[in-house]
């Protein structure tokens, strides 16, 4: 497809699309909420403002659009025809920024989960398995320390 928009216009358009509360993001939130998990959204105090944060399990979740965050899938690797070099530079810098944020979260002891829009269902499934396990371990800890105190 020929890109009729200038890079600035498209950036503005994309940042609107990228806006908070995207459909995949809402899908993840609904699934977690339905499983009884409580969370905060768009935590400004953490690197990269993770879309969903479960403080109790030190879990930070990013729900990434494939194009904008340069996923290694068809949608993520299809660039607008015009200004190709600029797009590559722009999207690479997005990817780099994502990596820096993920690394600094990990260094602070956070579990970082990336959910790609094209793998939404599978990712939600894996995320829930992870959180269920964390929850089970947390309650096992409470029970076992109660017994140890006897
Ligand atoms: Zn993708």
């Amino acid at each position: 497809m020929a890109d009729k928009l200038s890079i600035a216009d498209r950036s503005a358009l994309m940042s609107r699309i990228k806006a908070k509360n995207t459909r995949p993001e809402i899908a993840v939130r609904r699934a977690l909420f339905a499983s009884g998990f409580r969370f905060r959204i768009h935590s400004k105090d953490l690197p990269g403002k993770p879309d969903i944060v479960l403080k109790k399990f030190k879990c930070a979740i990013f729900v990434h659009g494939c194009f904008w965050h340069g996923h290694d899938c068809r949608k993520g690797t299809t660039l607008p025809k015009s200004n190709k070099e600029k797009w590559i530079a722009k999207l690479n810098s997005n990817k780099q920024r994502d990596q820096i944020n993920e690394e600094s979260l990990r260094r602070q002891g956070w579990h970082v989960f990336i959910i790609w829009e094209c793998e939404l269902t599978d990712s939600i499934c894996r995320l829930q398995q992870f959180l269920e396990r964390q929850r089970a371990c947390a309650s096992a800890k409470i029970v076992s320390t109660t017994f140890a105190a006897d």
Side-chain angles (χ1 to χ4, degrees), residues 65-67 71-76 116-119:
C66 294
F67 174 78
H71 191 211
D72 192 19
C73 69
R74 206 170 65 90
K75 202 171 176 188
W116 295 100
E117 62 174 327
C118 69
E119 299 169 347

Side-chain angles (χ1 to χ4, degrees), residues 21 24-34 39 41-42 51-52:
N21 308 316
E25 215 179 304
I26 289 167
V28 179
R29 271 148 51 178
R30 286 214 178 121
L32 293 183
F33 196 84
F39 45 82
I41 58 170
H42 312 129
D51 296 311
I52 302 166

Side-chain angles (χ1 to χ4, degrees), residues 69-134:
H69 293 270
H71 191 211
D72 192 19
C73 69
R74 206 170 65 90
K75 202 171 176 188
T77 49
T78 307
L79 291 171
K81 283 228 165 61
S82 53
N83 292 315
K84 221 165 197 164
E85 280 80 48
K86 278 187 189 164
W87 274 111
I88 290 168
K90 170 81 186 143
L91 296 177
N92 277 342
S93 85
N94 286 356
K95 270 165 92 168
Q96 236 164 25
R97 197 192 49 215
D98 287 343
Q99 264 169 17
I100 291 166
N101 289 329
E102 284 165 39
E103 273 163 30
S104 58
L105 280 165
R106 288 203 175 95
R107 267 202 305 277
Q108 291 173 39
W110 287 85
H111 303 281
V112 181
F113 247 90
I114 308 297
I115 294 183
W116 295 100
E117 62 174 327
C118 69
E119 299 169 347
L120 190 60
T121 310
D122 277 358
S123 302
I124 291 176
C125 187
R126 257 182 297 151
L127 173 64
Q128 277 189 315
Q129 281 174 344
F130 169 78
L131 289 173
E132 299 285 0
R133 205 164 53 232
Q134 296 291 106

